[in-house]
Amino acid sequence: MEVFVSIGVKLIISFFGLWIITFITGRKTLSQLTPLDFLTSLVLSEIVGNTLYDDKVTIGQLLFALALWCALAYFFEKATTHFVKFGYMAEGRTVLLVDKGQVNQEMLEKYDIEFTQLLSMLRQQNIFSLREVWYATLETNGSLSVMRKPEYEPPAAQDMGIDAQPDLFSITVIDKGKLLNESMRGKSIDIEEIKAKVREQRYSIDEIAYAELSEDGTLHIVPMK
């Protein structure tokens, strides 16, 4: 009977411990998980699985392990939020795979992505030809975000006889008062151009919470409050 009670208590503690860690990291769905989150979930499953049926592991030791991991998850999450460069290093960066209709073969090779894999990911978004793609980015969670060429957007502009213009593609250039050298792999940032545009709008970089640069040269700034 004591064995069942011990397993039950450990299971309850593990359930709420995992819930707290999930709450701290702020992830709501599997699609939001980064590779680091995935590795964390594997480690947590090992901690819970190995202690649940091991009589030698006490409830106190399980609490200590979960509390320590919870503290690590909390401080790591805060660090990736407050230190921009560390956040990019820990969670990765978005990768530009298709730029203005041109496939970035250097990025495909660097991240070991075959054309067949790229096309498979496009088909999942009801895009069956590379000719339809204007921009495609590989997100840090492994998903693909796509901007179609305007003539292929539904309803097709060419079918309506309209001279379509493509949507503007934007990249992050300032995050939490830090000027980024490269926020997206495959898309370089002209640091001097950004500084000049910031001065034009009468801001200093450390006053800016977020800024993005559109391909038409417009800098959109969200000031810190």
Side-chain angles (χ1 to χ4, degrees), residues 60-77:
Q61 290 171 329
L62 174 59
L63 282 170
F64 171 77
L66 288 176
L68 179 59
W69 197 263
C70 184
L72 288 173
Y74 175 79
F75 287 114
F76 197 87
E77 190 71 19

Side-chain angles (χ1 to χ4, degrees), residues 4-190:
F4 291 104
V5 173
S6 176
I7 292 175
V9 173
K10 288 181 179 179
L11 193 58
I12 292 171
I13 293 173
S14 300
F15 174 81
F16 284 103
L18 294 174
W19 179 81
I20 291 171
I21 292 174
T22 303
F23 178 77
I24 287 173
T25 56
R27 306 295 192 258
K28 299 298 186 293
T29 63
L30 287 175
S31 63
Q32 293 177 307
L33 295 181
T34 64
L36 185 61
D37 296 324
F38 178 70
L39 293 176
T40 297
S41 65
L42 291 179
V43 173
L44 283 173
S45 66
E46 286 295 314
I47 292 175
V48 173
N50 290 335
T51 58
L52 197 58
Y53 301 105
D54 191 344
D55 295 335
K56 295 180 181 179
V57 179
T58 65
I59 293 175
Q61 290 171 329
L62 174 59
L63 282 170
F64 171 77
L66 288 176
L68 179 59
W69 197 263
C70 184
L72 288 173
Y74 175 79
F75 287 114
F76 197 87
E77 190 71 19
K78 290 299 180 183
T80 55
T81 301
H82 288 88
F83 300 101
V84 178
K85 291 184 179 180
F86 178 71
Y88 280 120
M89 181 181 67
E91 297 185 348
R93 298 178 181 176
T94 303
V95 180
L96 188 61
L97 298 181
V98 181
D99 185 5
K100 295 182 179 178
Q102 300 297 316
V103 178
N104 193 332
Q105 297 186 43
E106 181 182 348
M107 291 293 112
L108 289 182
E109 183 177 350
K110 183 174 182 178
Y111 289 91
D112 296 321
I113 299 174
E114 301 289 341
F115 274 96
T116 53
Q117 291 176 289
L118 177 59
L119 289 169
S120 176
M121 297 169 78
L122 290 171
R123 285 195 294 271
Q124 293 177 35
Q125 302 195 37
N126 294 321
I127 297 175
F128 293 86
S129 172
L130 281 170
R131 290 178 299 176
E132 299 180 30
V133 181
W134 188 240
Y135 285 106
T137 58
L138 182 66
E139 306 296 342
T140 55
N141 61 9
S143 64
L144 190 71
S145 298
V146 180
M147 180 189 293
R148 278 189 171 101
K149 292 179 180 178
E151 60 266 29
Y152 293 104
E153 286 284 0
Q158 60 184 9
D159 294 336
M160 302 176 67
I162 299 174
D163 185 16
Q165 297 295 325
D167 293 333
L168 296 177
F169 186 77
S170 300
I171 58 172
T172 304
V173 292
I174 298 176
D175 192 354
K176 299 182 183 69
K178 302 294 183 182
L179 182 59
L180 306 177
N181 293 321
E182 184 186 42
S183 64
M184 181 182 295
R185 296 192 184 279
K187 195 74 172 177
S188 60
I189 296 174
D190 188 334

Side-chain angles (χ1 to χ4, degrees), residues 177 202-210 221-225:
R202 301 182 184 279
Y203 285 104
S204 62
I205 291 175
D206 56 7
E207 295 175 335
I208 299 173
Y210 173 83
I221 292 177
V222 178
M224 287 187 179
K225 293 184 178 179

